[in-house]
Amino acid sequence: MTNRIFKWATAAIQLLVLTTVFCGANVLASCTTDNNDDPTAMIQGGSWDPQVQTALNRLISNCGKGSYAVFDFDQTSIVHDITQAIWVYQIEHLCFADAPIHDFLDGIPEPESFMLGTKTTYAEMGRILSEEFKAMTARQEAGERIESIRQSDVYLDFRARMHSLLETMDEQWGNRVAYLWQPGLLAGYTEAEARALIHDAILEHLGIEKLAVEQWKSPDGHWGGNVMRGIWVSPEMKELYRCLKAANIDVYVCSASLELIVEVLACDSVLGFGLPADRVYGLRFVEGEKLVAQYDPQYKQPINEGKVDCIKAYMAPAYGNSGPVLVAGDSNGDVAMLTAFPDMKNGLIIDVGRSETSAIGQLATRAKKEGNIGIYILQPSFEATGD
């Protein structure tokens, strides 16, 4: 709650100070004449595509104080998905507070409906998950080690069902429901408790050597699928953030992950990017003594087109309502903010293998055809290029 108040106060101060900051019609759009000439702000190496590196260095040279850049977080700023990492950690450590009380169904709009392609209702799935969770925690309370419980059929069934529940609700109702349900499993924790859990999960999952895809299948083979494990902050992306900040280009994150989760890593100066909390925007739940799985209705949630609304409402006013000079993303959920701002100088697309027929795939194809010298520039994921 304190961070939110700080963000609003900071935005108001920025707006007061910077409303007169804008560029003339014949000056590079969204950049001031106070351009960067600091050679230490240039990207020097790593696994950048050469044309992408050239484009980013040109942008850094031409833009400076009074301009800003906006990054997606998952699969863009970091490799893999931080919400997924927290979810895996909660499952593997049986760290749930309120979820079992509500049968793991918070945020699901029609619990009595059938899960797509099955004869199981969401309510029935939730009851089974709660029963399995209670059985496992009873074994923990009796002194059994978590490592032993993870070998049991009940645990293997539990995690596989959790995976199928997430996949099915996403397919059936879309990402707005899935994006609420997954981090909503933190419900029942205080913010301080949630931050501690998130930090522990990051420490357990952070590192290139921990990136993997693992199959979670129930003993009967009916539930489950492939699960992405691990997260990694590449040195290349850390350097890009550093160079932008060195050039006095303000850096923001605009993510469809829960803001609280993103902050723990994005604001960490050692593990992450050292961003101030007022530069991180993500999904927000309603405020309360403990977390609840309910979107804050007064806030522009940055999901799909909502990212554009979030940027225009909370970032752009501090820059004379100009758009960001750089937008970075990797998925269809980022296409709106990659295409909404006519004064954007570059749209950085991280290539994680999206379909060429998808909206983001079409932007990636455009970048390829233009040889990475146009507005859109395509960078292979650092998961593939990192050592």
Side-chain angles (χ1 to χ4, degrees):
M1 186 182 303
T2 303
N3 282 340
R4 283 188 204 175
I5 295 171
F6 177 70
K7 285 182 181 182
W8 288 108
T10 302
I13 293 169
Q14 287 178 326
L15 177 59
L16 180 64
V17 173
L18 294 173
T19 48
T20 58
V21 176
F22 61 92
C23 299
N26 296 321
V27 179
L28 192 63
S30 294
C31 298
T32 69
T33 54
D34 182 16
N35 295 337
N36 170 60
D37 58 3
D38 180 358
T40 66
M42 297 293 101
I43 300 170
Q44 300 297 324
S47 300
W48 289 103
D49 175 281
Q51 295 294 342
V52 171
Q53 181 174 334
T54 298
L56 291 172
N57 280 338
R58 183 187 306 116
L59 181 147
I60 291 168
S61 295
N62 289 329
C63 300
K65 189 174 181 180
S67 57
Y68 66 109
V70 178
F71 287 75
D72 172 51
F73 200 67
D74 300 308
Q75 294 279 46
T76 300
S77 299
I78 67 170
V79 179
H80 283 191
D81 187 297
I82 193 168
T83 302
Q84 178 85 352
I86 307 308
W87 178 75
V88 170
Y89 181 89
Q90 285 188 267
I91 291 171
E92 294 187 333
H93 292 270
L94 302 178
C95 295
F96 301 99
D98 276 0
I101 297 173
H102 304 291
D103 289 339
F104 295 90
L105 297 177
D106 276 349
I108 295 178
E110 299 173 19
E112 296 300 331
S113 63
F114 286 98
M115 296 173 61
L116 197 63
T118 78
K119 296 180 179 180
T120 302
T121 66
Y122 285 94
E124 180 183 357
M125 177 65 86
R127 286 192 294 270
I128 292 170
L129 288 169
S130 287
E131 290 169 2
E132 292 179 332
F133 177 82
K134 290 172 185 176
M136 290 186 289
T137 52
R139 289 165 64 173
Q140 271 189 307
E141 291 168 1
E144 186 173 354
R145 293 173 60 83
I146 188 66
E147 292 80 8
S148 172
I149 295 173
R150 289 182 192 144
Q151 304 304 314
S152 66
D153 282 354
V154 66
Y155 171 78
L156 297 176
D157 190 68
F158 175 80
R159 70 176 192 176
R161 285 176 179 272
M162 290 286 277
H163 176 273
S164 291
L165 184 58
L166 175 61
E167 291 294 302
T168 304
M169 76 174 69
D170 187 37
E171 184 178 359
Q172 194 158 348
W173 287 307
N175 54 20
R176 191 171 181 86
V177 171
Y179 289 173
L180 173 65
W181 178 82
Q182 197 174 25
L185 294 171
L186 290 168
Y189 290 112
T190 65
E191 182 175 323
E193 290 169 340
R195 284 183 182 276
L197 185 154
I198 294 162
H199 184 263
D200 289 345
I202 289 170
L203 291 178
E204 184 166 305
H205 282 262
L206 187 63
I208 190 170
E209 75 284 355
K210 297 178 182 178
L211 301 177
V213 176
E214 181 176 287
Q215 188 176 66
W216 287 5
K217 295 293 289 184
S218 59
D220 64 5
H222 188 68
W223 306 103
N226 292 331
V227 173
M228 187 168 60
R229 295 183 60 91
I231 51 176
W232 182 49
V233 183
S234 71
E236 288 89 351
M237 198 57 72
K238 276 192 172 186
E239 184 183 29
L240 176 56
Y241 269 67
R242 180 193 66 77
C243 289
L244 289 165
K245 289 188 285 186
N248 293 313
I249 300 171
D250 294 334
V251 180
Y252 291 83
V253 165
C254 189
S255 171
S257 284
L258 187 67
E259 187 173 284
L260 171 64
I261 292 176
V262 176
E263 279 182 353
V264 176
L265 182 55
C267 301
D268 190 302
S269 59
V270 176
L271 302 178
F273 301 101
L275 291 181
D278 64 303
R279 298 284 172 81
V280 178
Y281 288 87
L283 303 182
R284 291 184 188 173
F285 292 163
V286 295
E287 294 183 357
E289 183 179 346
K290 294 184 178 181
L291 298 182
V292 293
Q294 183 180 345
Y295 288 130
D296 180 351
Q298 304 303 317
Y299 172 71
K300 298 185 184 300
Q301 304 290 346
I303 302 175
N304 302 327
E305 291 79 6
K307 290 193 173 188
V308 176
D309 297 332
C310 184
I311 293 168
K312 288 182 176 180
Y314 309 127
M315 304 175 205
Y319 306 90
N321 289 316
S322 64
V325 294
L326 174 68
V327 175
D330 73 280
S331 71
N332 288 341
D334 301 316
V335 168
M337 70 173 180
L338 280 163
T339 56
F341 302 101
D343 45 356
M344 181 186 75
K345 305 319 298 174
N346 281 116
L348 172 62
I349 301 167
I350 303 299
D351 186 2
V352 294
R354 308 292 185 188
S355 167
E356 291 186 358
T357 59
S358 66
I360 193 69
Q362 292 176 43
L363 288 183
T365 298
R366 174 177 168 180
K368 289 178 186 176
K369 287 182 177 179
E370 294 175 351
N372 273 343
I373 60 173
I375 292 177
Y376 295 104
I377 50 180
L378 183 66
Q379 169 63 38
S381 168
F382 293 113
E383 177 184 2
T385 60
D387 295 330

